[in-house]
Amino acid sequence: MALEIDSRHKNNLLWSSFFGGGAAGLFVDVVLFPLDTLKTRLQAEQGFKNAGGFKGIYKGLGVQVIGSAPQAALFFITYESIKYYSEQLVPKGSMPFVYMFGASVAEVMACLVRVPMEVIKQRKQTSIGDKSSIKILLAAYKYEGFFKGVYRGFGSTIMREVPFSIIQFPILEYCKSTYQNKFKNNIPLESFEVAVCGSIAGGISAAITTPLDVVKTRIMLADRKSLKSESLTFMRTFKRILKKEGIKGLFAGILPRTLWIFLGGYIFFGSYDFAKNNIYDILEEKRPNR
């Protein structure tokens, strides 16, 4: 009976992480979408004004709404699963490596959903016309193929997301555990306290990894002529930006990106913790033999 109860507890924990992550991802992406648009346009090769400036800052919101919940849910059920099983097997001092590994695997899983959505969203954000998301997707597939079009920039997205998560999640877990030990007498944190830890971790990670984000954006937005004339690998794109635009080019959009993820970290991790805990409580109440 104890094993059955423990199994139900584990399942409830993972399902609450899944639905909590989905709710948090959807909420933060909708609220902070204009900052994401401005960041993308600042990073676009044609320049901020030619990419749309301050006009139509909600272009691409529809596809973001569709993709944000599934990718966030997929991320957190992967991350929390790895964390849950590892805590029982790995020494406490080695847990930061578990957080890094778990976040890296979770990012790869989330990118299976994120990349096609990101390709469509960023092309809408920087396009002058009013092409629908479906037309952009079909054009990418027709003229560029499945992997080079629909999944354009998958490798560069992984190159951005994995270092970001390797920095973010150990900082997040460190902030949470340190605050809990020193100021809460090991009492579980409130959702707003988790939110503060999330904003700190997100802001630091966003600023450090901005060059990786710029490279990813340029690869996703490159036109078909560029694809035919040169191979858009991560390192070639990085070197080309550095040569043409210098350090300033590599850190284009750092302020809106850092602000977006700083605020997003607060909203995301706060709402994730709140949603996860409430969903978990609901599931636990339905559990027999409690």
Side-chain angles (χ1 to χ4, degrees):
M1 182 63 70
L3 288 174
E4 184 181 352
I5 292 174
D6 185 64
S7 177
R8 285 175 181 157
H9 164 75
K10 176 195 70 177
N11 289 335
N12 290 343
L13 178 66
L14 297 181
W15 277 115
S16 62
S17 298
F18 180 82
F19 288 113
L26 179 61
F27 184 49
V28 73
D29 283 345
V30 171
V31 172
L32 298 178
F33 190 81
L35 280 174
D36 179 47
T37 301
L38 296 178
K39 182 270 300 182
T40 299
R41 290 174 178 176
L42 282 167
Q43 293 177 348
E45 194 164 8
Q46 67 263 46
F48 179 72
K49 186 176 180 180
N50 291 332
F54 290 100
K55 296 179 181 178
I57 56 175
Y58 281 96
K59 289 178 71 174
L61 177 62
V63 71
Q64 184 74 4
V65 168
I66 293 170
S68 60
Q71 63 177 302
L74 193 57
F75 175 90
F76 271 107
I77 195 170
T78 304
Y79 177 73
E80 293 289 359
S81 296
I82 292 172
K83 182 180 169 184
Y84 176 83
Y85 288 109
S86 298
E87 282 177 341
Q88 305 171 48
L89 302 171
V90 177
K92 191 173 181 180
S94 300
M95 283 308 294
F97 297 104
V98 172
Y99 302 145
M100 292 179 189
F101 174 74
S104 299
V105 175
E107 286 293 0
V108 173
M109 296 300 294
C111 281
L112 295 174
V113 177
R114 179 180 300 145
V115 171
M117 299 296 105
E118 192 86 350
V119 168
I120 298 167
K121 180 198 72 174
Q122 291 197 328
R123 292 185 185 187
K124 280 188 73 70
Q125 286 174 326
T126 56
S127 64
I128 303 301
D130 293 316
K131 278 188 177 180
S132 68
S133 298
I134 294 296
K135 286 183 178 179
I136 292 174
L137 179 63
L138 291 175
Y141 177 74
K142 181 179 178 181
Y143 296 108
E144 302 163 41
F146 185 73
F147 292 107
K148 291 185 178 181
V150 177
Y151 271 90
R152 165 95 70 83
F154 184 83
S156 60
T157 303
I158 296 296
M159 291 284 287
R160 178 195 69 177
E161 297 295 354
V162 169
F164 179 88
S165 292
I166 284 176
I167 297 168
Q168 182 186 37
F169 277 85
I171 294 174
L172 172 67
E173 300 291 353
Y174 174 80
C175 288
K176 286 165 58 180
S177 62
T178 301
Y179 185 82
Q180 186 177 9
N181 291 336
K182 289 189 175 182
F183 302 103
K184 299 280 290 187
N185 293 321
N186 289 319
I187 299 172
L189 302 186
E190 299 290 338
S191 293
F192 77 89
E193 294 169 323
V194 174
V196 172
C197 295
S199 65
I200 293 170
I204 293 171
S205 306
I208 293 172
T209 59
T210 295
L212 306 180
D213 186 52
V214 174
V215 173
K216 188 272 308 178
T217 299
R218 294 290 178 87
I219 290 174
M220 283 188 169
L221 293 178
D223 57 28
R224 288 191 288 276
K225 291 180 180 178
S226 299
L227 289 174
K228 291 178 181 179
S229 63
E230 60 178 308
S231 176
L232 288 178
T233 64
F234 185 90
M235 284 309 300
R236 282 188 181 182
T237 305
F238 182 92
K239 290 176 180 178
R240 184 160 58 90
I241 296 170
L242 183 61
K243 184 177 179 180
K244 284 187 174 182
E245 304 167 48
I247 296 296
K248 184 179 179 181
L250 287 173
F251 281 91
I254 185 172
L255 289 179
R257 172 173 163 80
T258 303
L259 180 61
W260 168 44
I261 298 180
F262 178 82
L263 295 175
Y266 185 91
I267 298 170
F268 185 81
F269 286 104
S271 57
Y272 168 68
D273 186 76
F274 180 82
K276 184 186 76 169
N277 290 338
N278 279 275
I279 293 169
Y280 177 78
D281 288 342
I282 292 170
L283 293 172
E284 285 286 285
E285 285 175 6
K286 295 179 179 179
R287 192 180 79 183
N289 302 316
R290 191 177 180 189

